[in-house]
Amino acid sequence: MDEVKLFGFWPSPFSRRVIWALKLKGVNYEYIEEDIPYNKSDLLLQYNPVHKKIPVLVHGGKPIAESLVILEYIDEVWPHNPLLPKDAYERSVARFWAKFIDEKTRTLWEFFQKSGEEQEKAIKNNFEILRTIEEYGLGDKKFFGGDRIGVADLVFGMVIHMLVPLEEVVGVKFIKADTFPRLHAWMKNFSEQPTIKDNVPDHSKVVDFLKTIDFWIGP
Amino acid sequence: MEEENKVTLHGTWRSPYAKRVELALKLKAIPFEYVEEDLNNKSPLLLKYNPVYKKVPVLVHNGKPIAESLCIIEYIDETWKNSPQLLPEDRYKRAKVRFWTSFIHQQLYETMLTAMKAAGEAQEKAIKELWEKLQVLEEGMKDIFLNGTPSIISNGSMGILEIVMCSLLGPYKLQEEVLGIKIIDPEKTPLIFSWLEAINELPLVKETAPPSEKTIALLKFVRENALKSSSA
C-alpha cells in the first residue's frame, strides 16, 4: 500500500518542516506522536536504527530518515506545489540555503542552553548568522523560494515556532522590524500562509515545554 | 561567448571536499579549468563566489557559482546527464543514498577529524566512536546494496557514495600510518574494506591522488597544528 506515515514530536522543528511539506502538497498521512526522548516506540527504532530519531517518513512501508532527505523525497514523489525550483542552478542555490539554514539554526539554540559570558557570545553569534541569512539568503525576495515557499523557508520556519518561544524564556529578541527588516517581513508572510498558520504548535505550550525540559531536543 | 558552458573549479589539493567535485567532473568527462586556491591567501574571485563560507570548493558554470560539495555534485548530476549517474534514478534508492551520503559526510568525517586532531583520552574516545560508526556503515551497506555488494564491485560504477567514501577514507592506509592505529580492519568491516579496495583500484582514483608523502605531510601538519593550539 502507498500509505504515508510520519513519526514526529510536536515541538521538534525537524518533524514540523515535514508536516508543512505534506500539508502544502495535500498528502494524506497518519501522524504518530513519539514520546521523546525516554520512551521511543519500537517501530521508530526499527525504522531508524541508525539515528533512532524523528522525523521518519514511511511510504508504502519503506522508511526514510533525515528531514532534508525526507523533504527532497516528498518533493519528488508529489511534485505539485514544488518545494524546489525546476532549474538546476536555482535548485543548487535552494539546497545550499536549506543546508546552511539547517546547520546554522542548530546553533541558534545555544543561547538558550548557556549562561553568562558564553550566552552573550551565543547571542552575538545569532545576530551574525541571521545577518548572513537575511543578506545573502533572503535578499529582497518574499520567500527564500522566491514568490512561493520552498525548502529553505520550511527549514527557516523554526524561527516562528521555536525561536520565538526560546526568546521569550531567555528574554531577548532577535528578529525585529529595525534589526532584521526583511526577516521580520518574512516571518509575517510565512506565518500568515494558511497551511503554515493552521499547523504551528501553540506558543504557550512550547514555552511551558521549554521551561520544563531536562533534555536536549535540539540536534 | 567565453563564459558559455565554461566550467571552473576553485579548490585545493588539500581539501577532500574539492576532491569530491574533481572526481565527479572527471567521472562525467566534463572539461573544466582548475584554480588552485591558497587558503591563506584566498583569491578575490573565491570570496566573491562564496561570500557565505569563503571556502573551497566552488564550481562556476556559465559564470554562476555553486558552493558546498554535495550541492555541487547533485548539480553536476542534474546538468550533465551522461553516464555515470551519480545518484540513483529510483526515488526511494535516491533517498537512501542521500541518507548514507549525509551519514558519511557528517558523522564519519567529524569523528575522523576529531581523532586526527586529538591526543590521549580524547583521541581514544574519538577512535572508539569512529569504529562504532564504521560498524553502523558496515551494517548499512547491506541495506544500500544488494547482498551488501557495492555496485563498484559488481559493475565498476562509481557514484556519490563512492565519491564521498573516497575523499574521506581513500587514503586510510596513510591515515593509519599517521595515527598509528588501524582504522579499516578487513575482519571487523569486511564490506567497507573491499569497497575501499575497489575504489582505490580505479585508474581515476589513482591518477587524482596526490603523492603519498604529500598527503602524509599534510595529515601530520594538521595533527601537529591542532595539538599545539589545544595545549596552548
Side-chain angles (χ1 to χ4, degrees):
Chain A
M1 258 266 75
D2 278 14
E3 51 172 23
V4 182
K5 295 185 194 201
L6 174 63
F7 291 77
F9 181 44
W10 68 272
S12 161
F14 304 99
S15 50
R16 182 61 44 187
R17 52 178 79 149
V18 178
I19 290 170
W20 285 335
L22 292 167
K23 295 273 184 191
L24 281 166
K25 288 172 184 273
V27 176
N28 288 324
Y29 66 99
E30 182 194 335
Y31 178 74
I32 295 119
E33 183 69 43
E34 283 286 325
D35 184 1
I36 304 290
Y38 299 123
N39 200 20
K40 292 175 183 175
S41 74
D42 290 336
L43 260 186
L44 175 66
L45 301 176
Q46 176 198 321
Y47 283 138
N48 190 1
V50 174
H51 299 299
K52 304 175 176 52
K53 286 183 178 177
I54 54 94
V56 176
L57 188 82
V58 186
H59 185 209
K62 298 194 279 195
I64 301 149
E66 291 295 285
S67 62
L68 293 184
V69 176
I70 296 171
L71 291 179
E72 292 247 15
Y73 178 81
I74 288 172
D75 206 42
E76 287 169 14
V77 175
W78 295 280
H80 56 282
N81 295 345
L83 299 172
L84 283 165
K86 283 212 161 23
D87 174 72
Y89 181 73
E90 296 301 319
R91 288 163 76 83
S92 74
V93 174
R95 283 180 177 135
F96 174 91
W97 284 105
K99 279 206 163 100
F100 181 85
I101 294 169
D102 179 66
E103 188 190 305
K104 295 301 179 185
T105 48
R106 291 163 192 256
T107 32
L108 279 187
W109 283 80
E110 281 178 16
F111 81 103
F112 175 74
Q113 297 173 279
K114 300 192 163 155
S115 55
E117 216 179 278
E118 279 196 334
Q119 188 184 52
E120 277 174 43
K121 212 168 152 222
I123 288 171
K124 187 165 172 277
N125 196 37
N126 281 5
F127 277 103
E128 282 168 24
I129 290 169
L130 292 168
R131 193 149 317 283
T132 302
I133 291 174
E134 183 178 72
E135 194 177 324
Y136 293 109
L138 185 62
D140 293 320
K141 301 191 300 264
K142 184 179 182 192
F143 296 116
F144 290 90
D147 291 327
R148 50 184 310 133
I149 286 175
V151 280
D153 295 279
L154 298 187
V155 177
F156 194 59
M158 71 82 78
V159 304
I160 70 166
H161 72 92
M162 184 48 71
L163 186 63
V164 169
L166 285 168
E167 287 170 332
E168 182 171 316
V169 175
V170 173
V172 68
K173 192 126 192 80
F174 293 104
I175 301 175
K176 295 188 281 192
D178 58 346
T179 52
F180 295 106
R182 288 175 283 187
L183 294 184
H184 190 254
W186 177 90
M187 282 179 73
K188 187 165 181 290
N189 289 326
F190 185 76
S191 54
E192 281 175 1
Q193 280 275 312
T195 312
I196 305 298
K197 195 172 176 189
D198 294 339
N199 291 287
V200 179
D202 179 67
H203 171 83
S204 36
K205 209 174 160 201
V206 179
V207 170
D208 288 341
F209 168 77
L210 290 173
K211 284 179 176 167
T212 56
I213 53 170
D214 61 351
F215 59 90
W216 171 231
I217 79 153
Chain B
M1 287 120 271
E2 255 175 65
E3 289 277 298
E4 223 166 279
N5 293 321
K6 182 171 177 203
V7 179
T8 309
L9 170 62
H10 290 253
T12 165
W13 73 270
R14 294 177 176 81
S15 164
Y17 304 100
K19 158 82 20 172
R20 294 171 181 177
V21 179
E22 185 193 347
L23 285 171
L25 291 167
K26 287 183 172 169
L27 278 167
K28 295 246 192 198
I30 298 163
F32 66 99
E33 182 192 317
Y34 178 72
V35 175
E36 175 73 28
E37 289 282 344
D38 176 0
L39 298 182
N40 294 317
N41 190 19
K42 293 171 185 176
S43 72
L45 258 187
L46 177 66
L47 300 176
K48 170 182 151 197
Y49 284 146
N50 191 0
V52 173
Y53 285 115
K54 304 179 176 53
K55 285 183 177 175
V56 296
V58 172
L59 188 81
V60 188
H61 182 215
N62 295 328
K64 295 192 282 193
I66 304 149
E68 288 300 278
S69 61
L70 298 182
C71 294
I72 297 171
I73 293 173
E74 294 231 21
Y75 173 81
I76 289 172
D77 208 34
E78 287 173 10
T79 307
W80 288 274
K81 305 226 193 262
N82 60 313
S83 152
Q85 223 178 345
L86 303 177
L87 281 101
E89 187 70 42
D90 177 80
R91 290 176 197 128
Y92 185 69
K93 286 187 181 147
R94 191 149 68 233
K96 256 205 284 209
V97 164
R98 283 187 178 130
F99 173 88
W100 285 106
T101 300
S102 172
F103 180 84
I104 297 165
H105 171 74
Q106 284 174 338
Q107 307 265 343
L108 282 187
Y109 253 78
E110 219 177 271
T111 316
M112 171 65 96
L113 208 56
T114 308
M116 194 56 69
K117 291 179 166 184
E121 227 177 87
Q123 188 190 45
E124 272 175 43
K125 190 168 169 248
I127 289 169
K128 187 164 171 282
E129 209 181 297
L130 181 62
W131 284 335
E132 280 166 10
K133 289 184 175 168
L134 285 168
Q135 275 305 320
V136 172
L137 179 60
E138 179 82 9
E139 278 307 303
M141 283 179 72
K142 298 170 193 164
D143 179 47
I144 310 165
F145 304 112
L146 193 62
N147 301 323
T149 306
S151 30
I152 192 171
I153 292 175
S154 54
N155 64 25
S157 68
M158 187 148 165
I160 193 171
L161 275 173
E162 283 76 21
I163 289 173
V164 171
M165 275 303 272
C166 182
S167 62
L168 170 63
L169 285 166
Y172 76 88
K173 293 190 174 129
L174 305 178
Q175 291 159 346
E176 287 176 344
E177 197 179 308
V178 169
L179 285 177
I181 47 114
K182 199 145 192 62
I183 301 170
I184 307 292
D185 189 332
E187 289 185 15
K188 297 204 173 114
T189 53
L191 294 174
I192 295 177
F193 178 78
S194 14
W195 198 15
L196 287 168
E197 292 280 281
I199 290 170
N200 281 330
E201 274 303 300
L202 288 180
L204 173 63
V205 173
K206 286 186 182 169
E207 280 158 29
T208 53
S212 305
E213 320 84 60
K214 227 176 157 189
T215 303
I216 288 183
L218 174 63
L219 291 173
K220 283 187 171 162
F221 173 77
V222 167
R223 181 169 169 71
E224 278 153 23
N225 219 33
L227 291 175
K228 236 187 288 171
S229 54
S230 66
S231 62

